[in-house]
Structure formats: structure tokens, C-alpha cells
Amino acid sequence: MSELNVQLKGGEAAQVPASASVAEALKQLDRDAAKQALAARVNGSEVDLAFKLDRLEANGNTVEPVEIVPVLPGTREGLEVLRHSTAHLLAAAVLDLFPGTKLGIGPALLDDPRYGYFYDLIAPRQLTDEDLPAIEKRMREIAKRNMPYRREEIAKSEAMRLFSERDEPLKCKLVDDKGGETVSVYYIDGSPFIDFCLGPHVPNTNRLKAFKLLSLSGAYWMGDATQAQMQRIYGTAFATAEELDAWVKQREEAERRDHRRIGRELDLFSIQDAYGQGLIFWHPKGAMIRKAMEDYLYAELQRRGYLLVYTPHIAKRELWRVSGHDQSYGDSMFAPTTLEDTEFRLKPMNCPFHIGIYKSQQRSYRDLPLRYAEMGTVYRAELSGTLHGLMRVRGFTVDDAHLFCTPDQIRKEIDDCVDFVVDVFKAFGFDKVRFELSVKGSDTGKNWLGSEDQWADAEGALAESLDSRGVAYERIEGEAAFYGPKIDFKVEDAIGRLWQLGTVQWDFNLPERFELEFVGEDNKPHRPVMVHRALFGSVERFFGVLIEHYAGAFPLWLAPVQVAVLPITDRINGYAESVGEALRAAGLRVEVNTRGEKIGAKIRDAQMQKVPFMLVCGDREAESNMVAVRERTKGDIGVMSVEDFTGMARGLVESRALVNVTESGA
RNA sequence: GCCCGCGUAGCUCAGGGGUAGAGCGCCUCCUUGGUAAGGAGGAGGUCAUGAGUUCAAAUCUCAUCGCGGGCUCCA
């Protein structure tokens, strides 16, 4: 066969010599795509542009016309190739600068917005942050030299010989574990670099133009803490300098919004060495915001038929054995403490306590559903290195609830939970909520509890609930908890980041362990269905997300100081205080600034503290019982009476408006 | 927990084997000023903690504590 029919997917067709490469074939089909392509998909398989079409035969994939899809920059697939190739470039540069470096793995990352790729390696000496600029510089030099990425397919034994000759023990291990009869290796010609790799890669190094090294960290070989610790170099890469630039800007924006920085600047919370890592101090202004959050939530809970409960922070160890936490979650719990020969442990979860209330008396089907809700504070023994501001802590409060109901009632309960979540997140300014349905799937790896029927019913109810609401969701096989399927919620914040928050979890486990029962219509005992449910998840973490979402500039109903009264001279202080009193009497949170500063400085102070409304008062206002209103983002919005302002502000608070002025422009 | 980096005034940071620095903030005084910083003066530090090297350590070494970045990712 000397000629092959080739065709762009759904496009041009042509005939090329069977010995042609993908690049040559593409040139016949679409000159523009040929120029841009990074790699290609040929009869469905990803290959390099240098791939010779006559090799299809060797791969038993000779369907004609041969379908060619160019892998273009600007697509997910293209970005993956680009980043993967950049990871190789990184490794080549490190080998150049630090001969003797042992290579681990170097994949592209597409789903983590922080990074684009990494390479794990063991250098002859510990690398430090100061080495990164030199490595990046060498990467640019190699990129400019326009070196080809060259693929070779060799026998596994040949590859083993190659890598052991080069003293690459980790690569040998990988070839041994993962390699088939023949394996592919990639060279960057002109560099000592060889990698065991499936590819595909860009044709040569000058296709890599927009990349950057980011940070250095530790990583375990195969992610296993008992294995050797390697060094991981993180970087990112994009198709164009503009995209890289935009990404850098987004990163700076995230930095600007960092809740730890804003938390300090606005005096919202602190974490203090002297008291312990991962323990949060809510300062008055942070506490005020939390109070507003909780007040809203309590009102919603009451409206939706939840019953408020309070439970202890500690319980006998035996209780945790019954629940199973001691055995399967014990590593994440604070160690037991003993009093009069009885061991106690701090609670890492609230469920057993709510179960305690359920079990405190006999329950009839007429009592169900029971919905116990609590701002339950829990303690978890998180490793010190994982702690992070409000996002990962050792003591936190869950807006927890446990639903106990009959199997017939469950579907409605789930529906209500989903509605509740969407409403609450909307109130806090998160319009985009994403759902993930985690199911057992065919995964047999875990010690799944419950019967096949139970799983099918539970997964069906969760899926139906999401379907009937018409919300988009992702179904994740094998990600369910061992005791039941769940729905997780994620919200998208003001700069497009996703945050995993609350969850609705079905539980086959605890009702069994605690032998929960209700008396049915048939006068016989039945096992209730139990659902764990949290919206915020951790109140601390949700607060952190809110701070970053609003960059500290909270909507009026959440703002710790809603109004700053700013007298122009100290002659007006008395009037300003009386305005402050009037607003406080109307339930608004007010500060009166009587410092000996000019009005400009007082306004600046209030702006920096992101106070929604400033009321400027001078002689004119004092004479007529008026205030000159300045809104944080809009500036001066005119003079109005104290009563009119109070009415407007109260209206905005009561409607939990997300912008600080009414439509009429106030 | 482990790897790398960091720890100097309330905050942000400079300095660096020989008397501890800046800006902001704080306090006092002057100024009474109409929409994002008025002026002057002052207080404030065991340079994270402990040990070592040295005539001398905030500075060099080690340990401890704390903080930051990480620790599933297709060869």
C-alpha cells in the first residue's frame, strides 16, 4: 500500500504517501491547522506530529480514510500536551544544571488552578527557591535552541537497560511496573534528558513560549509517606503569553483577597501561637458577621421545620466505639483523657449526640421526620502542616443537622435539602452552585456497608432529587462514603474559584450501630433512615470563603460596621453622636468617628475598613437634622433626613440586599 | 508528621560579628478643616525560644516553637 486516504474529522480529504508523517498529512489537509497543531489524534489515538502513518498498520489500526484531528493550542487537550512537554523541558534543564539528578514523574495538571505541571525528582543537593530562576533561565535557553522531542519505541528490556545504565532507579521501577512489551521513551535531543513517557509531545522546544516556574515543595514517591521524599518543582504553562499574564493577574487578585490578610486588616479574627495552632479567635467584628450569618440560618432552620438542639463537646470513649469513630476515625481525634477511670474524647462530629437525643425516648412513625440542627463545635487532630488560616483548622463549628425519617419520607427530605442549599448560597451572593453526586459505583476497593438494594434506593433518591430540580451535577463513581452515597456542594466565588462547602450524606451505618428504631403503623419496630446535612460545612471555613468572595467588602446585612458617622468638626460631635444613637435604636451597627482629623482622613479610614455607608455631618446637616450620605463604591449620593436614611438602610438589611443602594438610587 | 523557606516595633518590611532602623498605626499637642492621608513631638524591641562558637551574636551553628508554600494527579 503506497498511498493512504486521509481526512480531517468532518472536513477535507486527501491522498498521501503511506510513509508520510502526521505533520505532512495535515499540511495537505489544512495548512493553518498544520502550522498550529501541537500533536494530533489519528484514528482516535493521540500521537506526535512526527508519527509516520505507516505505523498504523503495526498498531492494527488501518481504518481508511485515516481520520486526523489536530490537537490545537487553546483546547484542553492542547494545553495538556503543552504542559506535559514543559514538564519535560523542566527536567531537562535540571539535569543540565545538576547532573546526577534522579527523575520521578512529571505530569501536566489541568484541574488545579494553582499549577500547570510539576516534576518530582531527587537532585544531588537540596534545591532551594533561589535555584528556580536559574532553572527557568536554562529552560528558556533550551526552548530557544529549538530541540526536537524525539520518540522511540523500544523493548521493555532495552528500556530497563537504558535507565539502569543512566542510574535512574525510579524510572526503572516505573518501566517495570507499568511498561508493556514495548515501551515508549522520549528524548529532548541535545540534552541528557530521556523519559519513559506515553506522550504525545510538541514537535520541538520552541513551541513552548509561555511558561513559568512557581514553587518548590516536598512530595513522596507515589504519594506514600513511608517512601522516599522527593523534591517537587511546580510550574505552569499556557499557549500564549497573554494567557500566562492573565493567570498571573488572577493569582495576584487571589493574593489580594487572602482572608488571612483581610482578617487582620479588618480585625475580624486571629490565630495565636500561644493558645494553639488551628484554633480561631473571633474578634468583635468577625463575631458580628458570624452572628448575622447564624441569625439568618436559625431563622431559615425554624421556617423549614428543623429543631434546634445543643449537645456536649466531649463524650465517653465507649460512645465513640459504638459509633465506630474510635476505630476508623481515631487518628483524626484528640487523644483520650481520663477522669475517674473513664476515658473521654473530644467530638470530631456531632452525629452520635443527635442520635442520643433521638434515642432518649421511643419514637413513633408519627414523630418523623425529626430534623435536629445545631451549630456544633468539633475538634479534629489535623496535622500541623495542613493547617491554613480559617480554611483548615483544628476546632470549628459545623452548621450540622441530622434527619431521621421513614424510607417513604426520604425523597422529600432530600429535595428540601437541595432547595435549602440553593437558597442559602444565593443569600450570601453565590449564584453558581455545583453539585457532585458521589456513588458507590462498581468500586470494590472499599468496605462498603449496606445491601445492594439499599444503595440502589439511596443513590436513586439523590439522583432523582437533583434531576427533578434541573440542576447540573457531576456523578462520581466510587467516591461515596463507605456508609452511603452523598451530594457535595461547591460554589464559585467572585473570581471564579470553586469552593467545596456542605454535603448531604445518606447513612446506613449509624442507625445500625446505635440500633435506632421507630414504631410503625404496623406496631412493629423499624429502622429509620438517617441523613447528615451541612450547608456551610465549617462556619470558620465558610467565613474564610466569604471574606475572599467579597474581598472584605461585605453587603450591608453582613457588614460588621454598617454606618460610619463622620462629623466635619468637633463642633458637630454632639450632633453626630445623636445621629449614631438614632441609628443604633433602629438596629443598625454604627461607629461615630470623633477623632481630631479632617473629613478626608475620616472618609479614608472608613473606606479602608470597607464600611458600606458614611454619613458626613457639618453645620448644614446639624441645623436641618440631615446627613450627607456617601456610599462606599458610589461616593456622595446626596443629603437626606436621618429618618429617610434609616428607612433605606433597614430595607436593605431586611432584604439582605447584595448591593448597598436601592433601585431608586436611594 | 515530612520537605523547602521564613521569624527584627501592633502591621508591612530594611539591616546585619562591635550603641536597634523606616513607613504606617498608637499617644500628646497644635490645627476646626465639606467627600480617600494637615503639622509637630513622643512612647514602643531580651531582633521567636534555648544552647553552642567567639573577646564580642540580632547577625554564624544546632535544637525547639511558630508561620508560609507543598505532600492523589496517566510513563
Side-chain angles (χ1 to χ4, degrees):
Chain A
M1 193 182 2
S2 61
E3 292 272 303
L4 276 173
N5 293 306
V6 296
Q7 184 169 20
L8 272 188
K9 186 172 188 177
E12 295 292 314
Q15 279 208 328
V16 296
S19 59
S21 69
V22 171
E24 287 158 350
L26 258 179
K27 216 176 275 177
Q28 296 287 314
L29 294 165
D30 183 341
R31 296 195 74 84
D32 201 39
K35 233 183 257 174
Q36 285 201 50
L38 300 167
R41 196 169 268 282
V42 173
N43 280 353
S45 327
E46 280 193 315
V47 297
D48 295 333
L49 293 176
F51 180 84
K52 300 276 193 209
L53 292 175
D54 54 16
R55 288 202 51 87
L56 284 172
E57 201 165 355
N59 299 353
N61 192 357
T62 54
V63 182
E64 280 193 73
V66 174
E67 185 189 79
I68 301 183
V69 185
V71 171
L72 297 170
T75 64
R76 189 179 162 86
E77 218 175 355
L79 189 61
E80 181 163 17
V81 170
L82 214 55
R83 289 180 171 180
H84 193 184
S85 296
T86 310
H88 278 210
L89 181 63
L90 162 59
V94 174
L95 273 179
D96 244 7
L97 293 169
F98 304 95
T101 297
K102 311 294 173 222
L103 300 178
I105 59 169
L109 305 173
L110 295 179
D111 296 323
D112 186 333
R114 295 171 302 173
Y115 304 111
Y117 56 88
F118 66 77
Y119 217 109
D120 281 351
L121 40 82
I122 302 174
R125 69 163 169 85
Q126 284 289 355
L127 301 176
T128 73
D129 289 332
E130 277 108 65
D131 295 317
L132 294 185
I135 297 170
E136 192 174 312
K137 186 166 164 238
R138 181 58 58 94
M139 286 168 74
R140 290 193 197 292
E141 287 164 9
I142 300 174
K144 232 178 266 167
R145 268 188 270 150
N146 198 11
M147 305 294 196
Y149 281 77
R150 186 162 53 79
R151 177 190 179 98
E152 267 185 21
E153 295 187 14
I154 55 179
K156 181 174 186 176
S157 56
E158 174 71 3
M160 292 292 283
R161 194 184 55 76
L162 188 65
F163 285 115
S164 53
E165 250 173 33
R166 304 176 135 250
D167 196 20
E168 288 281 10
L170 303 171
K171 284 292 168 195
C172 285
K173 181 96 174 60
L174 283 174
V175 172
D176 202 26
D177 287 355
K178 308 218 173 187
E181 226 167 278
T182 60
V183 303
S184 52
V185 296
Y186 275 84
Y187 294 82
I188 294 180
D189 281 339
S191 136
F193 175 78
I194 307 182
D195 205 348
F196 168 55
C197 179
L198 280 173
H201 282 283
V202 297
N204 49 56
T205 56
N206 79 340
R207 298 301 296 273
L208 308 174
K209 297 192 187 303
F211 56 82
K212 189 176 170 58
L213 292 186
L214 300 171
S215 67
L216 193 64
S217 75
Y220 297 107
W221 175 240
M222 295 289 154
D224 179 348
T226 64
Q227 299 271 3
Q229 174 120 23
M230 315 182 67
Q231 286 195 291
R232 170 171 295 182
I233 301 175
Y234 278 105
T236 195
F238 289 90
T240 64
E242 291 72 43
E243 286 172 85
L244 178 60
D245 216 46
W247 179 87
V248 169
K249 291 238 163 59
Q250 151 100 13
R251 206 156 162 255
E252 286 164 358
E253 179 62 21
E255 168 114 354
R256 200 178 67 74
R257 289 166 178 262
D258 190 311
H259 71 282
R260 293 165 301 180
R261 168 207 297 270
I262 293 176
R264 186 168 48 237
E265 287 170 356
L266 301 189
D267 196 17
L268 303 177
F269 71 92
S270 65
I271 300 169
Q272 299 181 41
D273 310 357
Y275 294 80
Q277 297 172 273
L279 303 173
I280 305 302
F281 289 73
W282 293 74
H283 294 198
K285 286 179 182 165
M288 195 65 250
I289 297 171
R290 175 169 172 170
K291 170 98 173 22
M293 289 161 58
E294 291 183 347
D295 284 352
Y296 165 66
L297 199 66
Y298 281 131
E300 286 296 309
L301 286 167
Q302 177 150 10
R303 194 162 77 75
R304 293 166 194 261
Y306 284 78
L307 306 169
L308 192 59
V309 300
Y310 294 97
T311 61
H313 288 199
I314 193 168
K316 285 184 187 174
R317 185 173 193 181
E318 193 49 38
L319 184 272
W320 300 110
R321 292 204 179 97
V322 173
S323 71
H325 287 95
D326 199 81
Q327 302 87 316
S328 58
Y329 200 76
D331 288 348
S332 297
M333 295 172 67
F334 279 85
T337 179
T338 303
L339 178 67
E340 291 174 350
D341 296 330
T342 303
E343 286 185 300
F344 291 85
R345 295 193 88 164
L346 279 171
K347 68 175 172 185
M349 296 183 195
N350 298 302
C351 13
F353 294 86
H354 293 184
I355 285 174
I357 295 173
Y358 182 94
K359 275 177 76 87
S360 66
Q361 58 179 271
Q362 194 178 47
R363 303 292 174 183
S364 149
Y365 72 97
R366 294 169 181 278
D367 299 329
L368 304 184
L370 280 169
R371 309 182 191 95
Y372 294 139
E374 174 179 16
M375 292 291 167
T377 301
V378 298
Y379 294 89
R380 296 186 186 173
E382 302 287 355
L383 296 181
S384 59
T386 64
L387 300 175
H388 179 84
L390 292 171
M391 301 301 184
R392 190 80 180 262
V393 296
R394 285 180 174 159
F396 59 99
T397 300
V398 184
D399 63 319
D400 218 345
H402 293 90
L403 315 179
F404 301 90
C405 60
T406 69
D408 294 345
Q409 294 167 329
I410 184 85
R411 174 60 206 287
K412 176 171 187 309
E413 293 304 310
I414 301 288
D415 281 352
D416 289 350
C417 282
V418 174
D419 285 347
F420 200 171
V421 166
V422 172
D423 287 355
V424 167
F425 289 164
K426 197 170 281 174
F428 286 96
F430 300 109
D431 291 327
K432 293 184 194 153
V433 185
R434 298 203 199 181
F435 296 86
E436 284 177 3
L437 174 61
S438 294
V439 298
K440 176 173 163 229
S442 48
D443 190 327
T444 49
K446 279 187 204 170
N447 237 342
W448 304 104
L449 240 73
S451 68
E452 287 302 321
D453 283 353
Q454 274 181 310
W455 277 93
D457 287 352
E459 293 177 3
L462 294 176
E464 275 170 36
S465 182
L466 290 171
D467 288 337
S468 73
R469 219 185 180 286
V471 297
Y473 65 91
E474 193 184 345
R475 185 184 175 97
I476 307 178
E477 305 284 330
E479 270 303 296
F482 72 91
Y483 51 78
K486 60 174 179 174
I487 299 173
D488 288 324
F489 322 125
K490 287 184 174 173
V491 297
E492 189 179 321
D493 77 3
I495 57 172
R497 295 173 300 176
L498 286 180
W499 299 95
Q500 152 98 54
L501 299 172
T503 184
V504 173
Q505 296 194 4
W506 200 294
D507 192 334
F508 307 138
N509 183 37
L510 292 177
E512 295 288 336
R513 283 185 164 270
F514 282 94
E515 299 175 332
L516 298 188
E517 287 179 348
F518 67 88
V519 178
E521 266 178 286
D522 56 5
N523 196 30
K524 290 193 177 123
H526 297 268
R527 188 124 296 162
V529 175
M530 179 175 173
V531 173
H532 308 253
R533 183 244 65 173
L535 309 181
F536 298 156
S538 150
V539 174
E540 280 75 4
R541 182 179 150 84
F542 186 75
F543 183 40
V545 173
L546 269 188
I547 293 170
E548 301 206 356
H549 179 57
Y550 287 114
F554 294 96
L556 192 65
W557 74 282
L558 289 169
V561 177
Q562 295 168 318
V563 186
V565 183
L566 310 178
I568 286 171
T569 77
D570 54 15
R571 191 168 61 246
I572 310 296
N573 284 355
Y575 174 70
E577 295 285 7
S578 73
V579 170
E581 277 313 308
L583 298 180
R584 272 185 212 107
L588 293 167
R589 304 188 283 268
V590 188
E591 276 182 3
V592 182
N593 186 345
T594 54
R595 297 177 53 195
E597 290 290 352
K598 298 213 286 196
I599 192 65
K602 292 182 183 182
I603 287 170
R604 182 166 193 276
D605 286 348
Q607 289 283 154
M608 301 284 280
Q609 288 294 306
K610 308 198 191 281
V611 177
F613 286 110
M614 287 150 257
L615 304 184
V616 176
C617 310
D619 289 318
R620 295 202 292 271
E621 287 77 16
E623 278 162 24
S624 53
N625 202 34
M626 305 282 267
V627 288
V629 182
R630 181 188 165 98
E631 197 275 334
R632 194 183 62 79
T633 58
K634 300 210 160 35
D636 191 347
I637 58 172
V639 175
M640 61 180 85
S641 71
V642 175
E643 292 71 35
D644 285 350
F645 173 76
T646 305
M648 177 188 74
R650 285 202 48 125
L652 292 167
V653 169
E654 277 157 23
S655 64
R656 289 183 302 277
L658 296 174
V659 287
N660 292 332
V661 277
T662 54
E663 268 177 44
S664 58

